[in-house]
Every structure is written in structure tokens, then in C-alpha cells.
Amino acid sequence: AGSAIAPTLHHNWGCRSLQRSGGRRERRPRNANPDRMRFAQGRAPSHRVGDPTGGSMPEFVNVIDNNGDILYRSESFLGDNIFDSDDIDESNVFEFVHPDDREKAQEYFFNALENPGEEFRVEIRGKTKDGWTWFEGRFINYLDEDPVNGIIVTGQDISERKEIEKKLKESEKKYRRVTENINDVITLVDEHGKIIYGNEKAHKEVLGYDVEDLINEDGFQFFHQEDRDKVVELFDKCIKEGKDKERVEARFRCKDGSYKWLECLGRFFSEGRALIVSRDITEKKEARDREKFLHSILRHDVKNKLQVAKGYLQLIEEGKVDMEEYSEKILKSIDGAEEIIRKVKTLQRVEESEE
């Protein structure tokens, strides 16, 4: 039945209002069937805790037929928040729907027609005596069940949530404008390390990734296997202990398979999310490692040369060797130490000039 009705109803609403007999649709008596009223109120879907509506009961409960005509209106529909009884001329539910949302509402209505017993939700603007209000509408098809023999429609006012969402989106736009102009890699993750947000420009330029490829991915998998346990352990510790911030250096896999050293500063929030600001320190890290290497050369090789010279001097003092012969060996060891120092300094100057 639904598939046969759908094209006609869609066409009528797409072009004009539904035809009214004699220029005006006959108004049906409200609440004429008490059994239907009790059934509808008993079967009306509650807006449960955890739902976007916040767990409230529906603002109104209506029953409509397979054309969308209203068979029953709950008293709350005619209360202070919705309508006064004298204000209502409409007898088709879609006449209460904002023109821009009507096609979407009909789509869910048709889905309910074709799937008896299933619940279909849609967010639309509905007409009230104060103007247009955002509602979460729900359809359940009980056309074949006595005594209702209709489709139960409930509505919950979600205008406050919509206003909050609007403000959040505006804040997000401002936040994005700021973060997209920052060179640091900014990533928002949940309590499990799943990536929720990333600034597009920095992720692309620093790591080579399109952010859309990272959303909902496990952020820990990108860290080098030798650094991963350290990062996970620190992250979990901060989440469990409620630490405000923490810093770590680790290698992160780029899109081309190479690794870059990142210095990651995490800010942890009470709801279990963390904002990670990461800076590419690969060159800094490599320079630091070269410096350590050069220092190790100086400490090791130069120390060896000087130890040799010291040993020769000790033998000379004890009169165990010829002074003239070993004096040359002492000078040779000292010259070797000086040569190492000279080469290290030359290498440092070359690296500085390349930078």
C-alpha cells in the first residue's frame, strides 16, 4: 500500500496542498475513539535516556492514516506549547511541517508505511502557535493493529538542542580557522586514542595525510613499534589519574612510510578526550644525536690518546724506558688527540653551514 500511495502524496505536496473536498477538508472529530487514544498513548515511543532529546516524554502523540490525515490528536498537542484548539484548521500532518522539511518528513513516513512496527526518526521544523519549532518526529506503523489502525506520530521539542548545536558549529568554525593556520599538528582523540579531529593543513604538510583518512582511526598504530608502548602507557596514565598535560617524544609514521620525530604535548579533559599538539623535531633530534656521537668520539678517542701519553710519562719517571725514545711517542699521542679534536670541529662547521 505504501508504494502505491507514496508517488501521489509526494507529487501533491511537491506541487500544491492536498485537495480539500469542497475547497476545505472536513475536520475529523478529535479523540473520537477512546480505545485508539489509550493504545496510541501506550504504544507511543518514549524519548529514552541517551536519546538526542534528553530522555523526556514526547510533547504530543498523534495518529494518522495512510494518507497522513490526522485521526487522533493528544491533548498536549492543543496545550499552551503547541496550539489552541481554535487555531487548527489543518487535518493532514504534513501541513504542520515546514515546507523545506516536508519532503524529508514524507520519506520517513513512506518508510514507516513499508515497514510496520519499526520506528523511524526525523528532525524537522513543525508549526506551532509561536512559529516554527524544531521537533524530533517519530513514526511507527500500526495500520494493521486494532484498535489504533493508524501510524503513531510523536514529537519532541529539540529547539534548545538545535540552538546548542548551532553555537557549537559556530565555535568549531572559529576553532578551525585558528588551527588551520598553525604549523603544529593538532589532533583531538577520545579516551581510547581514536582520532576525532585534525587540522588539515599541518597534517598534510608535516605527515602527508589527508585528515579524512585518519578520522576514527586508532592514533597509536602510527607510532613506531619501539615507541608505541611508551606512548600508550603515558596516555592511559594521564586518563586514569586525571593529569592535565604531559609531554613525550616519539616517532610517527608518515603516509610515505617514513618516520618523523614528534614532540607531543597532550592536554587532557575531564570527559576523556585529549588535545595533542605535535611539533616536528626530526632535524633537531638528528642534530642532537650527531652531537652526542661527536661528543662520544671526543670522550673516547681523545681520552685513549691522552691515557697512552700519560702511561709513557709514568714509565719515563720510573726510569724504565729511554726518555728520548718515548718522548717522541708521547708527542705522537698528543698530536693524535689534537687531530681528532680538529676533525670534529671541522665536521661541526660543515653541518652548521649545510643548515
Side-chain angles (χ1 to χ4, degrees), residues 13 17-18 20 25 68-70 83 89-99 102 126-127 132:
W13 274 110
S17 299
L18 291 172
R20 297 173 181 244
R25 186 186 293 276
D69 292 333
I70 299 174
F83 285 106
D89 290 327
E90 297 86 344
S91 60
N92 189 283
V93 71
F94 295 106
E95 294 182 57
F96 293 96
V97 179
H98 192 283
R102 204 165 283 159
K127 184 167 62 176
W132 297 106

Side-chain angles (χ1 to χ4, degrees), residues 81-223:
N81 294 331
I82 311 296
F83 285 106
D84 293 325
S85 58
D86 295 336
D87 295 334
I88 298 180
D89 290 327
E90 297 86 344
S91 60
N92 189 283
V93 71
F94 295 106
E95 294 182 57
F96 293 96
V97 179
H98 192 283
D100 293 343
D101 299 332
R102 204 165 283 159
E103 184 175 349
K104 178 171 65 172
Q106 288 171 2
E107 179 184 347
Y108 284 81
F109 170 75
F110 297 145
N111 287 337
L113 280 176
E114 295 171 357
N115 299 276
E118 291 189 32
E119 179 181 298
F120 293 90
R121 308 181 188 185
V122 60
E123 294 183 1
I124 53 175
R125 285 161 290 183
K127 184 167 62 176
T128 69
K129 64 182 181 180
D130 296 324
W132 297 106
T133 300
W134 276 101
F135 287 95
E136 182 192 61
R138 303 190 182 193
F139 297 92
I140 301 183
N141 180 355
Y142 290 116
L143 283 166
D144 296 328
E145 292 194 38
D146 293 327
V148 69
N149 298 118
I151 297 175
I152 296 179
V153 182
T154 66
Q156 175 68 37
D157 185 346
I158 58 169
S159 53
E160 184 176 348
R161 174 166 66 81
K162 282 291 186 180
E163 185 62 28
I164 293 173
E165 288 177 354
K166 180 182 176 182
K167 290 180 179 179
L168 286 173
K169 285 181 179 179
E170 291 173 353
S171 297
E172 184 179 346
K173 286 181 180 178
K174 293 179 182 177
Y175 177 75
R176 285 181 181 273
R177 282 198 295 269
V178 172
T179 58
E180 288 303 329
N181 291 312
I182 293 177
N183 294 326
D184 291 340
V185 176
I186 298 177
T187 313
L188 184 65
V189 299
D190 67 9
E191 68 272 23
H192 305 296
K194 184 175 71 174
I195 298 173
I196 300 172
Y197 164 80
N199 54 339
E200 182 71 43
K201 181 181 176 183
H203 275 80
K204 187 70 174 179
E205 291 181 354
V206 177
L207 303 172
Y209 290 104
D210 293 319
V211 169
E212 61 184 16
D213 296 333
L214 300 177
I215 299 300
N216 293 323
E217 291 290 329
D218 176 13
F220 298 126
Q221 67 175 305
F222 297 97
F223 285 98

Side-chain angles (χ1 to χ4, degrees), residues 2 5 8 12 14 42 62 81 105 136 149 155 169 183 186 194 204 221 249 263 274 283 290 315 329 332:
I5 294 169
T8 304
N12 285 337
N62 290 345
N81 294 331
E136 182 192 61
N149 298 118
K169 285 181 179 179
N183 294 326
I186 298 177
K194 184 175 71 174
K204 187 70 174 179
Q221 67 175 305
E249 292 182 2
E263 180 185 55
E283 292 185 1
R290 286 195 301 270
L315 289 173
K329 291 183 178 182
K332 192 173 181 180

